[in-house]
Amino acid sequence: MYIVMISPEIAPVAKVGGLADVVLGLSKQLMQMGHDVDVIVPMYSCMRYDKIEGLHEVYEQLWTPHFNEWRPEKVFEGRVEGVKTYFITGGNYTDRDRVYGYDDDLFRFVYFSRAALEFMQKTEKRPEIIHCHDWATGLVPVLYYDIYNALGWDNSRVVFTIHNNECQGLCWYGDKLLGMVGLHGGQYYTPDRLKDGSHNNCINLMRGAIVYSNFVTTVSPTFAGEMKTPGGGRGLDGLLNKYSDKLGGIINGIDTSIWDPEKDDRIAHNYNAETFVEKYKNKYALREWLQLADAWKPIVSVVTRLTHQKGLDLIKRAIYSTLEKEGQFILLGESPDAAVNGDFWRIKNELKDCPDVHIWIGYHEDLAHLIYAGSDMFLVPSLFEPCGLTQLISLRYGTVPIVRKTGGLADTVFDAGDVEKGEDKVNGFVFDAATPAELDNALWRGIRCWFEKPEDFNRIATNGMAYDWSWKNPACDYENIYNYIKAK
Ligand code: ADP
């Protein structure tokens, strides 16, 4: 099958969050299964160009509509970990220091969506499947069906994946936005097209993608269910209930060529479930790197974007709760919001003389690898979490996750006390409500288990390592969906 992914991110070249990992990991696995996969992303000036092989120009004047003019973009091709990737320029829309976070983000990504389809049209790429991701490419299905079908390209089918429904691409100047790329705004202001359900006179790109796509997926079955409720749907629940026969949840995989404790060359010592005790050499290396005391204490870690979704208050609480119970705590994270970073800098300064805490405000791939390998427990106290990759990585590294029961965390982490699941399947500590008391309960159960029942603790850790979190199963699920909509 020929599949084209249209995405705002691809790891490790343009990565903000898990979406980037998903696009790369899923594409690689689909290729291994014999499919032909291309990825199309914007050519940001802030990309990691050193991670692209053989970058060269393949299309010189991609005339793309932009209000009253057509702009001549360029398209480059290169390989990202073997995946054929096209990069489309966007002039001042792509010449930025960050992927997102600008006032004109809607214009930037709507323009990219049109340019991506224009490139496919001009080069006669006719994939069986166009797979697009999150609000930034939400207009792709709309453009495909309303513009390109009329031009005779109608044999592709579209899958839209919701990685996070917090950002939906809401726009109060829909006429202008849609008009920029050649759509007549007025006709889209109806609920069965793009009109937002809760904000009057507003269009919603994610809504359009749900209406127009042949299939909509999200990144875990639990989150698919949560999105259909008023609490989790963020205004899209009614629409998703209406279209529930074309909605599915597939747990993300992790790229096991990158995340593999047996082969990872960014950690101090390789190990697997049989040589689990060797994992502790990484703990020593981690302590050395971060100058933590070498003591008989468990290390609890967090690696995350520091955003509201991730449970910032609970993370702060966990630092002190861990110390209170004689544990050590490591946080690696950064926020797009300077005030949030400032908060964590204050805690870092307050605890600067404590030998049992290290707070690293920033983004650091190598340190993340050693944290996954060298920690005993890994905390993910998210308020909501569509899938979550960090708990999957920590499971693979035998680092016991402590998570809040929501979204993909609920689908992948099974509490140590879950009798139904069985002793050989439980793999972590889970709490329900996002309250300090429930967090402490799960955290302290984990820490107590580490101190008092090390054999149980090691069993829980190695149980986690035995699960297969690779892309093999999820990619088969996506393949089934592709086949299903192709045949319809
Ligand atoms: P989200 O997509 O919401 O950010 P995920 O759990 O799906 O969360 O994916 C996060 C990914 O980003 C993981 O691979 C994690 O290791 C990585 N990551 C997050 N913050 C950092 C950081 N500060 N340094 C290094 N890696 C990070």
Side-chain angles (χ1 to χ4, degrees):
M1 210 181 313
Y2 178 30
I3 301 145
V4 172
M5 304 265 176
I6 304 180
S7 168
E9 302 180 34
I10 182 167
V13 171
K15 170 169 164 169
V16 176
L19 187 163
D21 297 311
V22 171
V23 169
L24 180 72
L26 176 59
S27 301
K28 278 167 77 172
Q29 184 64 37
L30 288 167
M31 282 167 64
Q32 271 180 31
M33 289 157 66
H35 299 298
D36 195 2
V37 184
D38 292 345
V39 178
I40 305 180
V41 292
M43 187 147 176
Y44 308 104
S45 51
C46 61
M47 290 190 312
R48 290 285 306 267
Y49 283 83
D50 58 318
K51 303 275 184 187
I52 309 169
E53 262 176 53
L55 190 66
H56 62 283
E57 191 178 308
V58 288
Y59 204 97
E60 207 192 341
Q61 290 196 321
L62 179 70
W63 292 100
T64 307
H66 183 259
F67 297 111
N68 297 327
E69 49 164 10
W70 290 71
R71 300 198 335 187
E73 301 303 346
K74 289 186 172 137
V75 185
F76 291 76
E77 184 195 312
R79 295 262 167 184
V80 178
E81 295 194 13
V83 177
K84 193 200 277 179
T85 308
Y86 293 103
F87 301 89
I88 306 189
T89 63
N92 62 337
Y93 286 152
T94 47
D95 192 11
R96 306 283 169 108
D97 297 337
R98 301 186 304 273
V99 171
Y100 314 105
Y102 298 94
D103 289 344
D104 61 350
D105 277 357
L106 285 161
F107 289 97
R108 296 173 61 221
F109 289 105
V110 159
Y111 181 70
F112 163 68
S113 299
R114 176 76 205 246
L117 288 171
E118 198 59 26
F119 172 59
M120 291 166 70
Q121 164 80 354
K122 298 253 168 67
T123 52
E124 289 177 11
K125 291 187 187 305
R126 296 291 180 266
E128 279 117 310
I129 300 294
I130 302 169
H131 190 157
C132 42
H133 300 267
D134 264 355
W135 73 268
T137 55
L139 203 65
V140 166
V142 182
L143 290 164
Y144 169 68
Y145 277 109
D146 282 358
I147 290 187
Y148 292 92
N149 269 200
L151 299 174
W153 168 17
D154 60 5
N155 53 354
S156 301
R157 293 291 170 265
V158 189
V159 175
F160 178 67
T161 296
I162 300 174
H163 298 258
N164 197 323
N165 63 351
E166 202 172 25
C167 273
Q168 298 180 4
L170 273 187
C171 181
W172 272 265
Y173 33 85
D175 278 349
K176 188 173 173 194
L177 183 69
L178 299 179
M180 172 179 72
V181 290
L183 294 172
H184 296 294
Q187 73 189 73
Y188 292 95
Y189 276 87
T190 61
D192 60 346
R193 290 199 164 170
L194 271 73
K195 185 172 181 292
D196 189 65
S198 341
H199 306 82
N200 240 347
N201 295 324
C202 200
I203 61 157
N204 180 323
L205 298 180
M206 195 171 265
R207 192 178 177 94
I210 294 166
V211 172
Y212 277 75
S213 294
N214 302 95
F215 210 92
V216 178
T217 67
T218 188
V219 288
S220 69
T222 295
F223 195 66
E226 287 171 356
M227 281 201 310
K228 289 196 276 181
T229 66
R234 297 173 187 274
L236 294 175
D237 38 300
L239 187 73
L240 289 167
N241 277 298
K242 179 175 168 190
Y243 288 112
S244 63
D245 57 342
K246 64 168 184 178
L247 173 69
I250 300 174
I251 285 278
N252 288 333
I254 51 175
D255 189 333
T256 47
S257 69
I258 298 171
W259 300 109
D260 182 359
E262 242 177 320
K263 300 209 182 85
D264 190 338
D265 57 10
R266 303 194 217 190
I267 65 177
H269 194 86
N270 293 117
Y271 61 98
N272 58 29
E274 275 76 55
T275 57
F276 184 67
V277 280
E278 309 266 302
K279 173 175 165 60
Y280 293 101
K281 296 187 179 164
N282 293 297
K283 185 169 179 173
Y284 298 131
L286 181 60
R287 280 181 168 152
E288 207 164 67
W289 184 345
L290 301 181
Q291 297 183 335
L292 289 180
D294 189 12
W296 189 61
K297 293 181 172 187
I299 299 181
V300 179
S301 294
V302 172
V303 177
T304 190
R305 286 185 298 123
L306 292 170
T307 57
H308 173 72
Q309 170 194 344
K310 304 294 180 182
L312 296 177
D313 289 341
L314 294 176
I315 293 173
K316 287 178 199 160
R317 165 89 183 192
I319 298 172
Y320 299 97
S321 294
T322 302
L323 293 177
E324 192 184 325
K325 295 293 171 192
E326 302 292 317
Q328 297 186 321
F329 197 94
I330 296 171
L331 166 65
L332 168 62
E334 73 176 339
S335 176
D337 178 349
V340 173
N341 288 328
D343 264 2
F344 283 92
W345 272 107
R346 265 188 296 281
I347 299 175
K348 184 179 166 79
N349 285 333
E350 179 197 321
L351 296 172
K352 68 177 186 306
D353 297 325
C354 175
D356 290 325
V357 179
H358 196 101
I359 296 175
W360 186 303
I361 296 151
Y363 188 91
H364 201 309
E365 291 270 353
D366 287 351
L367 180 56
H369 280 251
L370 191 58
I371 290 175
Y372 288 115
S375 306
D376 299 289
M377 283 165 265
F378 191 93
L379 178 67
V380 195
S382 304
L383 304 185
F384 73 98
E385 192 61 76
C387 177
L389 295 178
T390 57
Q391 86 280 13
L392 300 181
I393 301 169
S394 50
L395 283 165
R396 185 154 167 83
Y397 281 71
T399 300
V400 175
I402 301 167
V403 306
R404 192 170 100 71
K405 191 173 187 170
T406 181
L409 300 171
D411 289 327
T412 53
V413 183
F414 312 110
D415 190 82
D418 185 342
V419 186
E420 267 173 40
K421 198 79 196 165
E423 278 208 337
D424 58 337
K425 286 278 181 287
V426 296
N427 59 10
F429 295 89
V430 180
F431 62 102
D432 232 307
T435 60
E438 291 223 5
L439 163 82
D440 284 351
N441 183 292
L443 182 61
W444 292 351
R445 280 194 295 130
I447 293 176
R448 211 178 321 122
C449 185
W450 187 90
F451 275 117
E452 293 169 13
K453 297 187 171 164
E455 277 176 18
D456 285 359
F457 190 88
N458 289 355
R459 171 178 49 79
I460 295 165
T462 47
N463 282 353
M465 295 181 86
Y467 280 85
D468 179 1
W469 301 116
S470 73
W471 270 105
K472 270 190 220 129
N473 295 328
C476 287
D477 293 340
Y478 278 105
E479 186 185 50
N480 288 337
I481 289 172
Y482 297 160
N483 281 324
Y484 169 72
I485 57 175
K486 236 177 58 168
K488 279 192 101 181

